Amino acid sequence: MSKYAKILVDIPVEELDQSFDYRVPEKYRDIISIGQAVMVPFGPRKVTGFVIGLTDESEVEESKIREISRIIFTDTFFDEELLELFQWMSVYYKAKLINIIKTAVPAGVISGQLKKKTLRIVKLNTAKYKIEEYINNEGKKAYKQVEVLEILLNSDRDYTATELARLAGTSTSTITRLVEKGLLKYEEIVQERRPYLGEDIKRERPHEANPWQREVITRIKEQLDKATYGAFLLHGVTGSGKTEVYLQVIDYALQKSLGAIVLVPEISLTPLMVRRFYSRFGDQIAILHSNLSAGERYDEWRRLKRGEARIAIGARSAVFAPVKNLGLIIIDEEHENTYKQGEYPYYHSREVALKRSKITGSTVILGSATPSLESYYLMRKGVFRLLELPERIKQKSLPPVELIDMREELRKGNTGIFSYQLQEAIRDALGRKEQALVFLNRRGYASFLFCRECGQAIKCKNCDITLTYHASIDKLRCHYCDFLMSRPASCPHCGGNYLREYGHGTERIEEELKELFPGAVIARMDLDTTGRKGAHQEILEKMERGEIDILVGTQMIAKGHDYPNIGVVGVISADTMLNIPDFRAAERTFQLLTQVAGRTGRGDKKGLVFIQTFNPEHYSIQAARNHDYLQFYQQEIENRKLFGYPPYTLLTNIIVRGEVEQQVIEAAMALDAFLQKYGKLILEVLGPGEAPIGKLRNNYRWQIILKFRTYKERNFVLTRLREFLVEKGRKEVVYNIDVDPLMML
Ligand code: ADP
Ligand code: ZN
């Protein structure tokens, strides 16, 4: 029973990040609640908004208060705890509250596109004995009708008229006639759209925990018993049974009537992982994944809200899942970049999960074989408690890793992509009827067209990025804006006629493998071959069934899949990622190599891993070879300290972009001048300068990177900065504040 509601309106004006009071019409006073979407008058228009507060008194003069037009959804999209989380995010990430809410609630809600999908089914309209009477009396004349009625009498499932007619071998007019006679009726039911989970998933029983797992599980259960906030870093090598731990502690949470969220990186949300959860918990899980249609997502979301599903499993945005009585959040592969949203609002799911757990008094588990430097550092500071699974299940050993010095290979006269050793190892594996994985760092890596006369590569006209050459379609493509062009006859820079393909993309490697191993079945997995829905899964299943001998791929093959029959893993070049101009390059290299190496040695076979590199001495490559996280961590944390990078400092990247270069530069300069005033509170200002990708989708980009000592100082400066942008920012350019940036390109 509230007279007024505080409404956050959805208008694309940066200044307006506040709520407005509206009067609640009499008829809505009993049902209005926080988290509902409403339609309200705003100026001359009607706009959508969210209820974020209710009150019986307003400070606004009664005559100036306008009335809510209608409630769009009586379902609430968030409760007070989630609202608190959104408000925290708005402050921390310097983003408008409405944009946070729009990111967090199921897509399509605000635009009102989401409708419950209904289905018209056929039902009996009278008592069974009356139907039977009818069958006895009319049966001889109307055998088709009898057929229809008998199907309905003998089945408990629902049929549409079309289904029923097909089953009875008749047309829908038979059903219409029965409806007219009052024997049948139509009924609208809400149809749940459930994502496809594969057929016949068997219920799986828990494994008996090994001693390491038992210890870890006990500690987590003790925390769950306390029902307060508590955070763990679960450091377990690949194949050490982390997922089994998740499954068992979730089971315990359910017994205590607590709900759970499981976050997985987008890419490793493979059917295998989902199947494992499904086989343990059945319909108690709800899947929130970007591959689902908006309708499917919305239905899964509602199952959680109604408490029918108790476990949400999904990528980044599943951290907002409306799980009832939340008690546990698990972040699998917590070091993954996909947890950071790469566009406004730039939130990081791990940070958000930690905050949500504090608000709700939940337990958080950050799991990884290669924890992010930040998380390990925080664990050492006592912010997270450490749990370890140092051994693989059943004492399987981690695979031996061999580094291949490609400089040596050149000296031996091998200018090809594959070292002699790797070729031999693949040949041996194939001979033993085992499979091989060949890993390349990036899709179409460095496969570009290059002019041998002027030395220039062909670049995208919208972005300052080299175009990737795709041999199979003989075209050049920009992997940022998707610009596509045919292969030019001559160099666009100098008119020269000697354009040459350079570098090795996954396609080149596939070609070369076909030549080296003519009898082998070779498949490729990258964004090009998996664009179609389900394609990714198809390749994985073929691999699982042993129908592929050699799988070539990018990052996608590095994660989450378990194949017992892999005899060799080859990494074409460990250096590509090492050379990316980013202070996290060494960390990413270590994580990736460790993960790739973890793909083998899982079954009964002993797997071999070969890493080709021009930098075999580099510490991240050495540490990956030794499967030694601490060796890596100790070296890397020293470097971070020396150069003043996170976790020793707090970074913020301010990106300015626009279509007119001069305006972008002026805007960046004005920002810089403004920031000078706060010199004492900022540890260091890098820039302003052109961003590493200076032009993207026809926008020029400049950036200023700020380093801060404390959260407090950062928050103070960024708050002033935002006020400045709202008042004095140029309308022709877009400003993005990326708090804790991961990629600075
Ligand atoms: P991780 O998530 O650390 O990579 P998993 O939980 O996937 O490890 O475990 C690796 C494999 O070992 C899986 O096939 C899993 O079913 C199996 N497994 C896990 N725990 C046990 C156990 N206690 N006993 C037997 N097998 C186990
Ligand atoms: Zn482009």
Side-chain angles (χ1 to χ4, degrees):
M1 279 300 272
S2 295
K3 238 173 124 189
Y4 304 102
K6 299 199 175 295
I7 309 287
L8 196 64
V9 288
D10 182 21
I11 7 180
V13 181
E14 192 56 37
E15 300 83 298
L16 284 177
D17 194 19
Q18 86 220 50
S19 63
F20 295 93
D21 286 2
Y22 281 88
R23 189 166 34 253
V24 183
E26 212 54 71
K27 62 178 174 184
Y28 287 149
R29 293 215 174 143
D30 285 335
I31 54 168
I32 191 126
S33 76
I34 287 179
Q36 281 169 338
V38 293
M39 192 62 90
V40 292
F42 191 83
R45 296 176 298 148
K46 286 217 167 123
V47 298
T48 48
F50 284 99
V51 182
I52 63 166
L54 294 169
T55 174
D56 277 329
E57 274 157 57
S58 172
E59 318 220 309
V60 187
E61 214 178 292
E62 181 66 24
S63 63
K64 296 219 170 98
I65 299 189
R66 301 175 78 177
E67 200 166 78
I68 291 173
S69 313
R70 69 188 169 88
I71 295 177
I72 303 175
F73 274 83
T74 45
D75 272 357
T76 58
F77 289 101
F78 47 86
D79 56 13
E80 277 170 70
E81 285 178 340
L82 271 175
L83 180 61
E84 188 184 340
L85 181 71
F86 299 157
Q87 276 160 339
W88 171 83
M89 286 175 72
S90 170
V91 172
Y92 186 89
Y93 291 109
K94 297 286 167 275
K96 278 178 70 177
L97 185 56
I98 187 77
N99 291 94
I100 302 274
I101 293 177
K102 281 162 76 175
T103 306
V105 304
V109 164
I110 301 213
S111 52
Q113 292 158 3
L114 283 180
K115 299 214 168 50
K116 290 169 193 163
K117 195 171 168 193
T118 57
L119 202 61
R120 200 166 71 149
I121 56 158
V122 183
K123 287 239 157 189
L124 298 179
N125 192 32
T126 172
K128 282 194 174 177
Y129 77 90
K130 289 207 172 153
I131 305 270
E132 275 153 11
E133 250 173 50
Y134 178 81
I135 291 176
N136 291 335
N137 297 340
E138 311 280 322
K140 297 243 163 50
K141 288 178 280 168
Y143 66 95
K144 287 260 165 81
Q145 294 184 5
V146 171
E147 196 81 22
V148 168
L149 293 170
E150 283 193 331
I151 290 171
L152 284 177
L153 280 175
N154 296 315
S155 165
D156 359 298
R157 59 157 288 197
D158 296 327
Y159 299 99
T160 63
T162 327
E163 282 169 343
L164 196 55
R166 191 172 353 101
L167 275 176
T170 177
S171 70
T172 49
S173 60
T174 312
I175 293 160
T176 314
R177 228 160 292 133
L178 286 166
V179 171
E180 283 161 7
K181 288 194 169 137
L183 293 167
L184 297 183
K185 64 179 173 190
Y186 292 117
E187 212 174 274
E188 299 279 331
I189 58 164
V190 177
Q191 192 190 15
E192 293 286 343
R193 289 152 287 200
R194 295 280 343 256
Y196 176 72
L197 294 172
E199 271 151 36
D200 306 332
I201 298 181
K202 279 202 296 288
R203 276 304 186 109
E204 190 194 278
R205 299 174 59 78
H207 290 290
E208 166 124 28
N210 70 18
W212 291 105
Q213 286 172 319
R214 216 175 303 140
E215 165 71 16
V216 165
I217 292 167
T218 306
R219 302 258 316 265
I220 298 170
K221 283 183 177 172
E222 282 166 9
Q223 176 59 42
L224 284 168
D225 286 340
K226 286 188 206 149
T228 55
Y229 166 75
F232 294 104
L233 177 66
L234 173 58
H235 182 204
V237 297
T238 48
S240 59
K242 292 187 291 298
T243 312
E244 183 62 34
V245 167
Y246 303 154
L247 293 166
Q248 297 200 19
V249 297
I250 290 171
D251 195 45
Y252 188 71
L254 292 183
Q255 287 169 31
K256 298 176 73 77
S257 302
L258 296 171
I261 294 176
V262 183
L263 298 178
V264 293
E266 188 83 11
I267 247 152
S268 79
L269 186 60
T270 58
L272 296 173
M273 177 88 167
V274 173
R275 245 156 48 193
R276 237 171 120 186
F277 274 79
Y278 190 77
S279 74
R280 205 63 76 82
F281 300 113
D283 284 330
Q284 292 189 90
I285 69 165
I287 298 161
L288 301 168
H289 185 233
S290 61
N291 269 357
L292 304 181
S293 69
E296 284 172 332
R297 266 181 94 119
Y298 179 51
D299 286 353
E300 290 291 272
W301 188 87
R302 281 177 47 230
R303 290 177 57 241
L304 286 166
K305 227 182 128 46
R306 290 195 303 254
E308 288 168 26
R310 305 287 294 123
I311 307 158
I313 166 164
R316 190 195 310 138
S317 64
V319 72
F320 304 114
V323 171
K324 278 194 160 176
N325 198 19
L326 182 66
L328 177 64
I329 303 182
I330 291 166
I331 309 175
D332 188 32
E333 313 280 3
E334 65 87 28
H335 63 277
E336 283 292 339
N337 292 339
T338 50
Y339 288 127
K340 168 87 177 176
Q341 175 144 295
E343 58 188 35
Y344 179 77
Y346 296 85
Y347 72 92
H348 196 299
S349 280
R350 182 179 56 221
E351 300 307 320
V352 177
L354 288 165
K355 184 66 190 178
R356 189 168 180 192
S357 305
K358 282 178 193 158
I359 294 173
T360 53
S362 304
T363 299
V364 197
I365 306 170
L366 312 179
S368 176
T370 52
S372 63
L373 228 64
E374 282 90 338
S375 294
Y376 208 80
Y377 175 82
L378 288 175
M379 180 279 291
R380 293 217 152 163
K381 290 248 147 188
V383 177
F384 306 141
R385 279 175 283 162
L386 181 67
L387 300 173
E388 286 181 298
L389 294 174
E391 280 172 16
R392 280 189 153 184
I393 291 295
K394 297 187 183 137
Q395 275 96 46
K396 283 199 182 95
S397 54
L398 286 158
V401 177
E402 190 130 356
L403 300 181
I404 300 175
D405 188 342
M406 293 305 276
R407 294 169 304 192
E408 279 296 315
E409 208 68 15
L410 270 180
R411 272 176 229 134
K412 283 188 231 159
N414 180 3
T415 54
I417 301 173
F418 293 92
S419 60
Y420 295 131
Q421 241 178 309
L422 182 54
Q423 289 179 30
E424 207 178 293
I426 295 177
R427 197 164 294 122
D428 287 349
L430 296 180
R432 292 191 303 265
K433 298 264 175 288
E434 292 173 356
Q435 295 167 303
L437 275 185
V438 173
F439 176 81
L440 184 73
N441 195 358
R442 231 173 357 176
R443 168 170 75 146
Y445 144 64
S447 182
F448 51 90
L449 282 188
F450 172 85
C451 172
R452 280 197 286 176
E453 287 175 58
C454 72
Q456 300 218 48
I458 300 182
K459 290 190 168 182
C460 174
K461 65 178 170 61
N462 309 320
C463 311
D464 188 26
I465 294 286
T466 306
L467 291 169
T468 303
Y469 178 64
H470 290 260
S472 59
I473 47 173
D474 197 26
K475 283 193 158 69
L476 295 159
R477 160 168 280 151
C478 172
H479 284 179
Y480 285 85
C481 75
D482 254 355
F483 168 74
L484 192 69
M485 71 180 263
S486 307
R487 181 191 179 122
S490 56
C491 172
H493 303 288
C494 74
N497 288 319
Y498 297 96
L499 289 176
R500 196 197 125 147
E501 290 163 40
Y502 191 85
H504 353 284
T506 38
E507 291 175 32
R508 262 286 300 286
I509 291 186
E510 190 185 7
E511 287 303 306
E512 204 140 315
L513 280 168
K514 277 182 184 153
E515 271 167 42
L516 286 169
F517 308 103
V521 181
I522 299 166
R524 176 161 64 90
M525 180 148 89
D526 54 25
L527 283 177
D528 293 326
T529 58
T530 57
R532 190 167 48 81
K533 208 176 169 179
H536 185 231
Q537 187 171 348
E538 257 168 51
I539 299 177
L540 293 178
E541 283 172 2
K542 273 193 180 164
M543 191 72 190
E544 225 178 331
R545 290 195 300 263
E547 292 166 19
I548 293 170
D549 297 319
I550 308 177
L551 180 62
V552 184
T554 53
Q555 260 84 334
M556 280 187 185
I557 65 170
K559 290 159 193 170
H561 322 306
D562 262 344
Y563 311 110
N565 197 32
I566 290 179
V568 183
V569 174
V571 177
I572 297 297
S573 165
D575 312 321
T576 43
M577 194 164 263
L578 214 47
N579 293 328
I580 292 174
D582 186 316
F583 74 89
R584 285 192 178 87
E587 183 177 6
R588 296 219 174 91
T589 303
F590 174 75
Q591 288 165 346
L592 203 61
L593 293 177
T594 305
Q595 226 152 31
V596 177
R599 290 310 101 205
T600 182
R602 295 198 161 209
D604 301 324
K605 308 253 163 39
K606 259 221 156 25
L608 293 171
V609 180
F610 294 89
I611 298 175
Q612 303 190 148
T613 172
F614 285 94
N615 296 285
E617 307 84 12
H618 193 280
Y619 64 91
S620 62
I621 296 178
Q622 286 285 333
R625 200 242 339 243
N626 300 337
H627 302 288
D628 191 342
Y629 178 80
L630 275 181
Q631 181 190 352
F632 168 74
Y633 175 80
Q634 269 145 6
Q635 179 68 57
E636 181 65 11
I637 203 82
E638 283 297 312
N639 290 355
R640 298 283 177 94
K641 192 169 188 177
L642 202 61
F643 294 103
Y645 282 120
Y648 290 99
T649 57
L650 302 171
L651 290 187
T652 301
N653 190 12
I654 302 162
I655 306 137
V656 183
R657 63 183 162 85
E659 285 177 13
V660 183
E661 191 172 17
Q662 196 51 36
Q663 292 173 348
V664 172
I665 297 173
E666 281 169 18
M669 293 301 173
L671 257 185
D672 187 47
F674 170 79
L675 288 166
Q676 305 258 321
K677 280 192 258 180
Y678 297 94
K680 284 212 184 78
L681 299 176
I682 306 172
L683 181 62
E684 201 178 342
V685 179
L686 304 171
E690 198 181 3
I693 296 174
K695 196 181 172 200
L696 195 61
R697 298 179 192 97
N698 268 327
N699 270 244
Y700 292 90
R701 306 167 82 239
W702 274 55
Q703 69 183 22
I704 301 178
I705 296 171
L706 304 176
K707 283 188 188 174
F708 294 93
R709 286 177 215 95
T710 65
Y711 287 105
K712 208 171 149 205
E713 289 174 342
R714 172 163 80 178
N715 191 45
F716 183 82
V717 174
L718 294 185
T719 304
R720 298 291 92 73
L721 174 78
R722 211 163 152 230
E723 288 162 5
F724 170 77
L725 293 179
V726 164
E727 274 170 45
K728 305 235 169 71
R730 294 182 71 126
K731 298 288 167 255
E732 308 85 1
V733 300
V734 177
Y735 301 88
N736 278 320
I737 302 176
D738 184 355
V739 175
D740 303 332
L742 270 194
M743 291 284 187
M744 286 177 291
L745 289 177

